[in-house]
Amino acid sequence: LGYLAAAARAAAHGAGGDWDTLRVVVLCGMFTVEEVAGAPNPTAFIAELEDDVWAGCAELGPLERVRALPSDPDPCVVARFVAAGDAARCVERMQGRVFNGRAVRAAHWDGNRRRALPEGVDEERAARLGGGPGSAR
């Protein structure tokens, strides 16, 4: 979906259901399970990756949450934006972008429950990195 199509679709749907799929972006190909397992501190590796994705995505609009999913069959990072239009811009910007020598595959969330994010805002990350709800771009 392009930015205008996503914004129009979001306006028609309101909160919940399909609206959430438009605010959530799935970024695959950014890391591998082997990279996580081979890291001296896998927890720190994931936290740094999430911080990097938060910082990059926050340039496009306020975020609520970012989470890496190394146990997913296709390891990915999932980001939930406050606004669907910002998520659409993220998909457009990140699709095919090279990260760590690999092409990123970016798409809106398909509703797969394995990739669902907890409700609410990651207040700690928003306070530390900026770019949370209420932040100016």
Side-chain angles (χ1 to χ4, degrees), residues 54 63-66 80 82 118-135:
W54 181 287
L63 293 158
E64 292 182 351
R65 190 165 297 275
V66 170
R80 184 174 57 235
V82 171
E119 289 299 316
V121 176
D122 184 341
E123 300 289 349
E124 183 277 329
R125 189 168 272 139
R128 190 167 39 85
L129 300 175
S135 297

Side-chain angles (χ1 to χ4, degrees), residues 25-102:
V25 175
V26 179
L27 305 168
C28 297
M30 298 187 83
F31 69 101
T32 65
V33 173
E34 293 78 21
E35 287 174 316
V36 176
N41 182 340
T43 302
F45 177 92
I46 292 296
E48 183 177 337
L49 175 64
E50 290 173 347
D51 283 354
D52 287 348
V53 171
W54 181 287
C57 288
E59 294 175 8
L60 299 169
L63 293 158
E64 292 182 351
R65 190 165 297 275
V66 170
R67 174 149 309 155
L69 303 175
S71 61
D72 192 89
D74 187 7
C76 58
V77 180
V78 182
R80 184 174 57 235
F81 286 84
V82 171
D86 296 333
R89 279 192 294 277
C90 180
V91 170
E92 290 171 4
R93 177 186 273 185
M94 295 299 288
Q95 176 60 32
R97 185 175 185 175
V98 176
F99 182 87
N100 212 19
R102 291 182 292 276

